[in-house]
Amino acid sequence: MAFKKAVKGTILAGGGALATVLGLSQFAHYRRKQMSLAYVEAAEYISEPVNREPPSREAQLLTLQNTSEFDVLVIGGGATGCGCALDAVTRGLKTALVERDDFSSGTSSRSTKLIHGGVRYLQKAIMKLDIEQYRMVKEALHERANLLEIAPHLSAPLPIMLPIYKWWQLPYYWVGIKLYDLVAGSNCLKSSYVLSKSRALEHFPMLQKDKLVGAIVYYDGQHNDARMNLAIALTAARYGAATANYMEVMSLLKKTDPETGKERVSGARCKDVLTGQEFDVRAKCVINATGPFTDTVRKMDDKCATAICQPSAGVHIVMPGYYSPESMGLLDPATSDGRVIFFLPWQKMTIAGTTDTPTDITQHPIPSEEDINFILNEVRNYLSCDVEVRRGDVLAAWSGIRPLVTDPKSADTQSISRNHVVDISESGLITIAGGKWTTYRSMAEDTIDAAIKSHNLKAGPSRTVGLFLQGGKDWSPTLYIRLVQDYGLESEVAQHLAATYGDKAFEVAKMASVTGKRWPIVGVRLVSEFPYIEAEVKYGIKEYACTAVDMISRRTRLAFLNVQAAEEALPRIVELMGRELNWDDNKKEEELETAKKFLYYEMGYKSRSEQLTDRSEISLLPSDIDRYKKRFHKFDADQKGFITIVDVQRVLESIGVQMDEYTLHEILNEVDLNKNGQVELNEFLQLMSAIQKGRVSGSRLAILMKTAEENLDRRVPIPVDRSCGGL
């Protein structure tokens, strides 16, 4: 009991109490650790990158094949794996990295997009008097500050509001949030503050106002996770690491240690997924950084290895930007089942999540309708009744698998610590498991430290604190203005390029096509409502994009923002990639179908289609049915019982509106349940019923038909704009 009180004093009072708890020798070690976390410009001790630009994938494959032995081979191209490669290569170690899919294709691209220290972990540290949880938060807050420093183009501080609905919660949460600031110390982004009810509603006008007492605002970081992961990989490649995506490890290589007579891991048999070619990559040390697939690689080394990871699924949804203020997030600290829900602005949209449920390990996790509705219900609890939270406003949804370290004493995944574990097997395989996005760098440092020690590698200390990631060094908040002035890009497009590529945005701008318009001069968009341009497809290939899925989900973030928009952009993306990569017609068709399947299953399109199936019930009032039948028959003039592209074109032409055949085909296909090329009356009534129930919103066909009906008599030409395209 005395120990617990001392630990509590540690958390509340700081270093003096900590020395009392740990003893002088342990405290000295702890202080050395904390001092090592202090800001040092480690980058000053590293020579310039050996490559001005990352070598091509083909060049990297040749390096993997022709190098007799690497010092370090990293398996896994997520944030942790790429962090390990960057840490190793900047210490002067000959480094290789292989990833069986694309960089950041798994958990690292499916996060909540936050760079955080962990407010709830600090709460657990205090409530359970857990010094390890406290240390984890302290370390994460340092890493948060470092990540914001080394990739300023991809990350920024974000204020997050904690609404208070009971008076007693105000001092309770205020103390906790202030402790969060205190633990951050010099790494505190901005000081937290309290808002009155009226001020809270000014900042977050869509907030539920009944019984609202006030709010507390604190700051964490937010980033573009997939692009951040890619920046780490590209930086490692520029410093000399041989990195290759779509390289699958088929088996681990082993050789007998002449001194001990024991088998030691000495590399891996790798297969190029794109060509089928196999070859050996030999290394003194092999690092397993495969996230949820950690135990799969461990069992390659030892079939009897005990599983150390317990996967947990986290689902997120994306909704239109009008659901949240442009620069203020929301935290629900206690949902109906005890989980934490974030509601955040991201890329001019609103991201909500996450869930936390045990799951099976799969390469292709699918968001369930149950999880999507759980998040929507929690969002409804915090938003004003004036805001109708509709299922149809879900523009995208995805599931990510967290690689949590198993605690046998834990009853559920919510209480499993995000602390990381570095494990070294008898044969020398080093596994890094657990952790979280924010601490990827310190996890990599600990892993390479362990590798150097256990394999007698010759290298110095870690040099990644303060080391700028690709695009960050010469970035400035006003860089986009030069893009507008020098190249004639739209301001929105220029801001997007600067925030995505940093100081490399000029290289993308140089590749941009002329629009043929007075303004913008260059920068043809892939879809009208998003700032992604065709030049990014060409540049994405230089960033190791090999498939259409790579382009819509990780080089651009279209699939994560709006699956309908991503699907619309696909034909042009495939055409551009095919031209650059010499794809034949069969390959183009294969890429198109694979990408559509990805959108359907992994990005929420499946859930959307389930809202409107041929088994859907029509629950409309008789008066509504009559009204919608009349609207339908204005298009079905010859009473066929269905409408086709020709029918829609005829009506649009009569009111002076022109739409290309491809766009019309896409619009009808959204509602054509039996995919017979026509929309029957029954399908149209099911659509209107689903819209009334809120299961579907922003249907382009419904909006188009209503607009056309209103203008048939007047014959006034009007523009028909694309709606937000909800799921």
Side-chain angles (χ1 to χ4, degrees), residues 38-282:
Y39 261 100
V40 292
E41 289 298 326
E44 292 179 2
Y45 300 98
I46 304 175
S47 59
E48 284 295 307
V50 295
N51 302 302
R52 184 178 177 275
E53 296 298 330
S56 68
R57 183 175 183 273
E58 291 71 23
Q60 297 284 42
L61 292 178
L62 287 173
T63 302
L64 288 172
Q65 284 180 275
N66 299 330
T67 302
S68 57
E69 186 180 50
F70 290 94
D71 293 318
V72 172
L73 168 62
V74 181
I75 305 173
T80 304
C82 292
C84 287
L86 180 58
D87 192 282
V89 74
T90 51
R91 298 194 199 203
L93 295 171
K94 193 179 295 183
T95 305
L97 179 146
V98 292
E99 160 61 45
R100 73 172 170 184
D101 204 310
D102 185 27
F103 301 113
S104 194
S105 58
T107 308
S108 296
S109 64
R110 303 170 189 239
S111 73
T112 313
K113 323 303 178 193
L114 286 178
I115 310 171
H116 63 100
V119 172
R120 58 176 172 156
Y121 303 136
L122 180 61
Q123 181 187 25
K124 289 181 181 180
I126 297 171
M127 300 300 292
K128 297 183 179 180
L129 307 177
D130 188 337
I131 192 68
E132 286 302 319
Q133 291 268 16
Y134 169 75
R135 286 174 177 170
M136 185 186 73
V137 174
K138 182 76 174 176
E139 180 182 58
L141 287 168
H142 167 266
E143 294 300 327
R144 179 187 71 177
N146 181 64
L147 196 49
L148 289 167
E149 180 77 15
I150 64 177
H153 58 304
L154 293 170
S155 58
L158 175 72
I160 300 176
M161 180 181 291
L162 186 65
I164 305 297
Y165 288 93
K166 296 179 181 177
W167 279 107
W168 66 266
Q169 291 178 332
L170 192 58
Y172 174 78
Y173 285 123
W174 183 82
V175 169
I177 295 297
K178 277 300 174 186
L179 279 173
Y180 193 57
D181 291 348
L182 181 64
V183 172
S186 61
N187 293 321
C188 181
L189 301 180
K190 291 184 180 180
S191 184
S192 57
Y193 55 90
V194 177
L195 290 174
S196 65
K197 176 179 179 178
S198 59
R199 291 284 290 164
L201 292 172
E202 280 182 33
H203 286 281
F204 210 115
M206 54 284 293
L207 196 62
Q208 171 66 261
K209 62 183 73 172
D210 293 342
K211 299 182 181 179
L212 181 68
V213 173
I216 300 171
V217 176
Y218 75 98
Y219 285 81
D220 256 328
Q222 188 178 53
H223 69 154
N224 187 336
D225 53 2
R227 293 294 316 184
M228 185 74 80
N229 193 157
L230 186 63
I232 301 167
L234 294 171
T235 306
R238 290 184 63 206
Y239 275 99
T243 60
N245 54 354
Y246 293 99
M247 287 295 297
E248 183 176 4
V249 170
M250 308 304 292
S251 62
L252 296 177
L253 305 177
K254 292 189 177 183
K255 66 180 181 181
T256 303
D257 188 327
E259 295 182 8
T260 63
K262 293 182 178 180
E263 281 196 328
R264 303 282 289 176
V265 173
S266 60
R269 180 73 175 176
C270 298
K271 176 183 177 181
D272 185 341
V273 175
L274 302 179
T275 65
Q277 181 187 12
E278 292 189 19
F279 54 86
D280 292 339
V281 179
R282 299 196 175 274

Side-chain angles (χ1 to χ4, degrees), residues 534-549:
E534 291 183 355
E536 293 181 76
V537 179
K538 300 176 186 177
Y539 191 77
I541 293 170
K542 295 178 64 175
E543 296 180 321
Y544 305 130
C546 300
T547 70
V549 172

